[in-house]
Amino acid sequence: MAPSAIDDDNNAVYVSRAREQPPPLSAVLHRDLRQPPPSVHHALGNYITLTSGQRILDATGGAAVSCLGHGNMRVKEAIVSQMDEVSYCHSSFFTSSGAEGLATELINSTHGQMMKAFIVNSGSEAMEAAMKLARQYFLELSPCQPSRTRFIARKESYHGTTLGSLSMSGHVVRRKPFEAMLLDNVSHVSPCNPYRGMLDGEDISQYVTRLAQELDDEFWRLGPHTVCAFVAEPTVGAALGCVPAVKGYFKAMKAVCDKYGALLIFDEVMCGMGRTGSRHAWELEGVVPDIQTIGKGLSGGYAPVAGVLMKQKVVNALDKGTGFVHGHTYQGHALSCAAALEVQRIVREDNLVENVCRMGNYLAKSLRVKLWDHPNVGDIRGRGLFWGIEFVKDRKTKTPFDPRSGVANIIHTKAMLPEYSISLYPGSGSVDGVSGDHIIISPAYNVTAEDVDAIVAATVAVIEDVFNEMTFP
């Protein structure tokens, strides 16, 4: 290495070139390497305060996570109490009061429909576990059905970021970089999205019949004896922007699954645990899935935790076989379970699902009053406190904006400016997995009418200013 300098005594001085480089702004591999996100100083209730002093109204709870808002003392005390007992123990050797309590709370909340809970750390892990559980169910049956290795999911869906759960997803943009690595035993049928999918002159009954036939045809294309399960979100979250199924859709889908002996798996990671107006989203459909994944609102963001719930028939197959051949180092983590248990107790004891219904109706009405006639608002849809607004270039034709315009992200970015100070969740691909822009509004379950008024006022101001100030191709 050449000397960097010569000192007064004619000695070479070597200086590391690495030291001459300015230190990075952050050692974290942020999602955007060019623009690190703003730093949070503290959060309380429905507000997040940045280190700059700006106070942000959290209208989405992150990704529909913070169902109790921030800084709940009961949850904090429950975590400390569990820490006084035990923070971690390996689930192969021990159990904890947090894990046992959470599983009991969850099973009781299904009123006997689900029998066991498997607790993991994220929604992606939960979907991976559900896939393996479905496969093992058919291996443990007598006689076993080893030919069942395939899954049918839906286009414009999102089930997770790991390779298995991403294979299940139908979100084109998120799949694209990893397409060559994804599983080839997952196929996709049309979603239930009446705004985009219903044909002119078609009523809901005809629409459901057509989608059921498409699923039936897919079973036959693959071979009915090869399919483990049909997988769907009762209300599609990030991929479509809070699109609930039309009446009768899931009953028709379940009938197809039953016809061919396949399982029905509901992904309720984003839309479940009270978010859409019932403790479990399937309660609104009149259909009970064989396997259900949960997360996000399960712990309200106070700890990383998700889970899989299963019916008795699935448990029976495992019990007569080898048990569930699956596990994680941190599965059923005591602290995470204690946090989730206290969140679920608060949701139940404070009747927060009822408040979700009341405030959800008020939010929906307010958004529609203020935005229904906006020339760039194509649809406002959702359930409970889970609402999406889809943006279009032309309302009459439903033509989306060019995806390169990044309309949803522009709205999110503008909303974070001090004059608005509201967090809105942006999404894209709601038309075909690439085109289509929407935002999600998913506040805490304990919001008041005054909170909703503030959310709607800020959201409307952002949307109006974006489209008044900018021209999109």
Side-chain angles (χ1 to χ4, degrees):
M1 182 174 75
S4 300
I6 304 296
D7 66 13
D8 292 339
D9 296 321
N10 206 37
N11 295 316
V13 177
Y14 295 90
V15 178
S16 171
R17 293 297 180 187
R19 294 179 184 177
E20 296 176 3
Q21 301 300 318
L25 294 176
S26 172
V28 176
L29 182 64
H30 289 294
R31 300 190 186 205
D32 186 340
L33 296 180
R34 298 178 184 85
Q35 183 63 50
S39 181
V40 174
H41 182 270
H42 66 274
L44 186 64
N46 294 315
Y47 287 87
I48 296 173
T49 301
L50 306 181
T51 51
S52 66
Q54 184 182 356
R55 194 164 175 255
I56 305 289
L57 175 55
D58 187 4
T60 67
V65 173
S66 300
C67 60
L68 298 184
H70 305 277
N72 187 285
M73 288 305 299
R74 276 186 60 177
V75 181
K76 180 179 178 180
E77 290 166 1
I79 294 172
V80 172
S81 178
Q82 179 63 61
M83 190 175 289
D84 288 339
E85 291 182 16
V86 62
S87 296
Y88 169 77
C89 56
H90 197 284
S91 60
S92 290
F93 314 132
F94 309 101
T95 188
S96 67
S97 62
E100 296 294 333
L102 176 59
T104 299
E105 176 75 23
L106 291 173
I107 296 307
N108 287 345
S109 72
T110 70
H111 306 293
Q113 297 293 345
M114 298 292 180
M115 290 295 112
K116 294 287 184 181
F118 183 77
I119 307 302
V120 291
N121 307 291
S122 71
S124 297
E125 285 185 17
M127 180 50 64
E128 295 277 351
M131 293 170 69
K132 293 175 77 173
L133 185 62
R135 166 62 176 168
Q136 196 177 342
Y137 167 77
F138 287 106
L139 292 178
E140 304 289 7
L141 285 179
S142 182
C144 67
Q145 301 178 35
S147 63
R148 291 189 184 268
T149 61
R150 296 184 174 276
F151 293 87
I152 303 173
R154 301 189 299 181
K155 300 171 185 175
E156 289 84 68
S157 62
Y158 186 63
H159 298 288
T161 192
T162 54
L163 289 177
S165 60
L166 187 59
S167 299
M168 195 71 75
S169 305
H171 197 295
V172 175
V173 171
R174 297 188 187 190
R175 288 173 57 98
K176 187 176 180 180
F178 312 102
E179 196 71 51
M181 301 170 65
L182 299 182
L183 303 176
D184 61 3
N185 62 330
V186 182
S187 59
H188 300 84
V189 294
S190 298
C192 183
N193 181 4
Y195 176 68
R196 290 287 177 184
M198 283 185 68
L199 304 176
D200 290 341
E202 189 174 47
D203 62 25
I204 288 177
S205 176
Q206 293 168 328
Y207 183 44
V208 168
T209 298
R210 178 163 60 85
L211 293 178
Q213 186 60 55
E214 182 182 348
L215 179 61
D216 195 290
D217 292 344
E218 184 64 8
F219 267 90
W220 277 105
R221 187 185 74 83
L222 299 172
H225 61 287
T226 70
V227 179
C228 281
F230 172 60
V231 181
E233 303 160 88
T235 296
V236 183
L240 282 181
C242 307
V243 175
V246 298
K247 185 177 181 180
Y249 169 78
F250 277 112
K251 287 185 177 180
M253 299 304 109
K254 186 177 187 304
V256 176
C257 292
D258 291 346
K259 178 180 177 181
Y260 299 114
L263 298 178
L264 176 63
I265 299 176
F266 274 3
D267 181 343
E268 298 197 9
V269 169
M270 201 171 196
C271 66
M273 301 315 301
R275 173 58 62 188
T276 51
S278 61
R279 198 77 175 273
H280 302 281
W282 48 258
E283 294 176 280
L284 300 172
E285 306 297 344
V287 169
V288 182
D290 299 295
I291 299 172
Q292 168 191 359
T293 62
I294 54 177
K296 298 190 187 296
L298 174 58
S299 71
Y302 287 93
V305 65
V308 182
L309 307 182
M310 63 208 77
K311 291 176 77 170
Q312 185 68 59
K313 74 175 188 179
V314 177
V315 176
N316 288 345
L318 298 179
D319 185 50
K320 294 174 183 178
T322 58
F324 189 24
V325 187
H326 185 65
H328 293 275
T329 299
Y330 290 117
Q331 104 185 34
H333 192 277
L335 296 184
S336 294
C337 288
L341 173 57
E342 196 61 24
V343 168
Q344 292 308 307
R345 283 174 172 166
I346 293 170
V347 170
R348 172 170 50 82
E349 293 168 5
D350 293 355
N351 298 313
L352 291 185
V353 175
E354 288 81 354
N355 192 61
V356 168
C357 293
R358 288 193 302 271
M359 291 299 101
N361 289 335
Y362 183 56
L363 173 61
K365 180 180 178 181
S366 299
L367 288 172
R368 285 170 171 157
V369 166
K370 298 288 187 178
L371 290 171
W372 193 252
D373 293 328
H374 191 285
N376 298 113
V377 172
D379 194 27
I380 301 172
R381 65 291 183 111
R383 272 180 175 167
L385 284 172
F386 197 44
W387 285 84
I389 304 172
E390 182 171 340
F391 303 103
V392 293
K393 188 174 182 180
D394 186 297
R395 276 174 61 103
K396 184 177 181 180
T397 62
K398 302 180 183 179
T399 303
F401 289 98
D402 187 320
R404 292 171 295 183
S405 299
V407 170
N409 280 317
I410 289 172
I411 290 172
H412 162 77
T413 301
K414 193 173 188 67
M416 291 286 285
L417 296 176
E419 55 264 45
Y420 308 101
S421 291
I422 185 171
S423 177
L424 302 172
Y425 190 97
S428 60
S430 44
V431 176
D432 55 12
V434 178
S435 299
D437 293 274
H438 61 264
I439 58 169
I440 291 175
I441 299 174
S442 50
Y445 299 175
N446 49 15
V447 289
T448 64
E450 291 74 19
D451 295 326
V452 172
D453 288 341
I455 290 170
V456 172
T459 301
V460 170
V462 172
I463 291 171
E464 289 182 342
D465 287 352
V466 164
F467 289 110
N468 285 337
E469 297 168 6
M470 301 186 72
T471 301
F472 297 98

PDB file of all heavy atoms in Angstrom, residues 234-247:
ATOM      1  N   PRO A 234     -60.028 -13.844   3.583  1.00  0.00           N
ATOM      2  CA  PRO A 234     -61.446 -13.463   3.593  1.00  0.00           C
ATOM      3  C   PRO A 234     -61.673 -12.024   3.128  1.00  0.00           C
ATOM      4  O   PRO A 234     -62.603 -11.744   2.377  1.00  0.00           O
ATOM      5  CB  PRO A 234     -61.847 -13.653   5.057  1.00  0.00           C
ATOM      6  CG  PRO A 234     -60.929 -14.726   5.550  1.00  0.00           C
ATOM      7  CD  PRO A 234     -59.619 -14.454   4.858  1.00  0.00           C
ATOM      8  N   THR A 235     -60.827 -11.098   3.599  1.00  0.00           N
ATOM      9  CA  THR A 235     -60.784  -9.745   3.055  1.00  0.00           C
ATOM     10  C   THR A 235     -59.350  -9.496   2.630  1.00  0.00           C
ATOM     11  O   THR A 235     -58.438  -9.531   3.457  1.00  0.00           O
ATOM     12  CB  THR A 235     -61.230  -8.690   4.092  1.00  0.00           C
ATOM     13  OG1 THR A 235     -62.597  -8.901   4.434  1.00  0.00           O
ATOM     14  CG2 THR A 235     -61.063  -7.284   3.536  1.00  0.00           C
ATOM     15  N   VAL A 236     -59.139  -9.274   1.342  1.00  0.00           N
ATOM     16  CA  VAL A 236     -57.782  -9.149   0.818  1.00  0.00           C
ATOM     17  C   VAL A 236     -57.190  -7.811   1.255  1.00  0.00           C
ATOM     18  O   VAL A 236     -57.789  -6.757   1.035  1.00  0.00           O
ATOM     19  CB  VAL A 236     -57.768  -9.258  -0.712  1.00  0.00           C
ATOM     20  CG1 VAL A 236     -56.330  -9.191  -1.224  1.00  0.00           C
ATOM     21  CG2 VAL A 236     -58.436 -10.553  -1.161  1.00  0.00           C
ATOM     22  N   GLY A 237     -56.004  -7.856   1.854  1.00  0.00           N
ATOM     23  CA  GLY A 237     -55.410  -6.656   2.417  1.00  0.00           C
ATOM     24  C   GLY A 237     -54.484  -5.923   1.478  1.00  0.00           C
ATOM     25  O   GLY A 237     -54.909  -5.193   0.585  1.00  0.00           O
ATOM     26  N   ALA A 238     -53.168  -6.121   1.651  1.00  0.00           N
ATOM     27  CA  ALA A 238     -52.175  -5.309   0.955  1.00  0.00           C
ATOM     28  C   ALA A 238     -52.254  -5.415  -0.569  1.00  0.00           C
ATOM     29  O   ALA A 238     -52.010  -4.439  -1.275  1.00  0.00           O
ATOM     30  CB  ALA A 238     -50.775  -5.705   1.426  1.00  0.00           C
ATOM     31  N   ALA A 239     -52.584  -6.592  -1.094  1.00  0.00           N
ATOM     32  CA  ALA A 239     -52.544  -6.791  -2.545  1.00  0.00           C
ATOM     33  C   ALA A 239     -53.680  -6.084  -3.284  1.00  0.00           C
ATOM     34  O   ALA A 239     -53.490  -5.586  -4.400  1.00  0.00           O
ATOM     35  CB  ALA A 239     -52.571  -8.280  -2.872  1.00  0.00           C
ATOM     36  N   LEU A 240     -54.862  -6.038  -2.690  1.00  0.00           N
ATOM     37  CA  LEU A 240     -56.015  -5.431  -3.359  1.00  0.00           C
ATOM     38  C   LEU A 240     -56.530  -4.175  -2.664  1.00  0.00           C
ATOM     39  O   LEU A 240     -57.255  -3.396  -3.260  1.00  0.00           O
ATOM     40  CB  LEU A 240     -57.164  -6.442  -3.482  1.00  0.00           C
ATOM     41  CG  LEU A 240     -57.049  -7.492  -4.579  1.00  0.00           C
ATOM     42  CD1 LEU A 240     -58.287  -8.395  -4.589  1.00  0.00           C
ATOM     43  CD2 LEU A 240     -56.856  -6.857  -5.946  1.00  0.00           C
ATOM     44  N   GLY A 241     -56.199  -4.006  -1.395  1.00  0.00           N
ATOM     45  CA  GLY A 241     -56.689  -2.828  -0.691  1.00  0.00           C
ATOM     46  C   GLY A 241     -58.045  -3.043  -0.068  1.00  0.00           C
ATOM     47  O   GLY A 241     -59.018  -2.374  -0.403  1.00  0.00           O
ATOM     48  N   CYS A 242     -58.132  -4.010   0.853  1.00  0.00           N
ATOM     49  CA  CYS A 242     -59.320  -4.220   1.691  1.00  0.00           C
ATOM     50  C   CYS A 242     -60.564  -4.610   0.891  1.00  0.00           C
ATOM     51  O   CYS A 242     -61.624  -3.980   1.018  1.00  0.00           O
ATOM     52  CB  CYS A 242     -59.616  -2.981   2.533  1.00  0.00           C
ATOM     53  SG  CYS A 242     -58.214  -2.411   3.503  1.00  0.00           S
ATOM     54  N   VAL A 243     -60.444  -5.659   0.102  1.00  0.00           N
ATOM     55  CA  VAL A 243     -61.576  -6.129  -0.702  1.00  0.00           C
ATOM     56  C   VAL A 243     -62.209  -7.351  -0.037  1.00  0.00           C
ATOM     57  O   VAL A 243     -61.616  -8.432  -0.022  1.00  0.00           O
ATOM     58  CB  VAL A 243     -61.138  -6.483  -2.130  1.00  0.00           C
ATOM     59  CG1 VAL A 243     -62.304  -7.080  -2.916  1.00  0.00           C
ATOM     60  CG2 VAL A 243     -60.603  -5.238  -2.845  1.00  0.00           C
ATOM     61  N   PRO A 244     -63.418  -7.213   0.511  1.00  0.00           N
ATOM     62  CA  PRO A 244     -64.101  -8.374   1.085  1.00  0.00           C
ATOM     63  C   PRO A 244     -64.766  -9.195  -0.012  1.00  0.00           C
ATOM     64  O   PRO A 244     -65.067  -8.679  -1.096  1.00  0.00           O
ATOM     65  CB  PRO A 244     -65.151  -7.744   2.011  1.00  0.00           C
ATOM     66  CG  PRO A 244     -65.431  -6.406   1.400  1.00  0.00           C
ATOM     67  CD  PRO A 244     -64.166  -5.972   0.711  1.00  0.00           C
ATOM     68  N   ALA A 245     -64.991 -10.464   0.270  1.00  0.00           N
ATOM     69  CA  ALA A 245     -65.685 -11.320  -0.691  1.00  0.00           C
ATOM     70  C   ALA A 245     -67.173 -10.966  -0.727  1.00  0.00           C
ATOM     71  O   ALA A 245     -67.733 -10.491   0.254  1.00  0.00           O
ATOM     72  CB  ALA A 245     -65.509 -12.784  -0.306  1.00  0.00           C
ATOM     73  N   VAL A 246     -67.818 -11.211  -1.856  1.00  0.00           N
ATOM     74  CA  VAL A 246     -69.257 -10.981  -1.967  1.00  0.00           C
ATOM     75  C   VAL A 246     -70.003 -12.095  -1.225  1.00  0.00           C
ATOM     76  O   VAL A 246     -69.442 -13.170  -0.949  1.00  0.00           O
ATOM     77  CB  VAL A 246     -69.709 -10.919  -3.439  1.00  0.00           C
ATOM     78  CG1 VAL A 246     -69.035  -9.770  -4.157  1.00  0.00           C
ATOM     79  CG2 VAL A 246     -69.427 -12.250  -4.149  1.00  0.00           C
ATOM     80  N   LYS A 247     -71.237 -11.856  -0.926  1.00  0.00           N
ATOM     81  CA  LYS A 247     -72.047 -12.817  -0.188  1.00  0.00           C
ATOM     82  C   LYS A 247     -72.136 -14.149  -0.939  1.00  0.00           C
ATOM     83  O   LYS A 247     -72.410 -14.195  -2.125  1.00  0.00           O
ATOM     84  CB  LYS A 247     -73.454 -12.254   0.029  1.00  0.00           C
ATOM     85  CG  LYS A 247     -74.345 -13.137   0.894  1.00  0.00           C
ATOM     86  CD  LYS A 247     -75.706 -12.488   1.119  1.00  0.00           C
ATOM     87  CE  LYS A 247     -76.586 -13.365   1.991  1.00  0.00           C
ATOM     88  NZ  LYS A 247     -77.929 -12.749   2.219  1.00  0.00           N
TER      89      LYS A 247
END
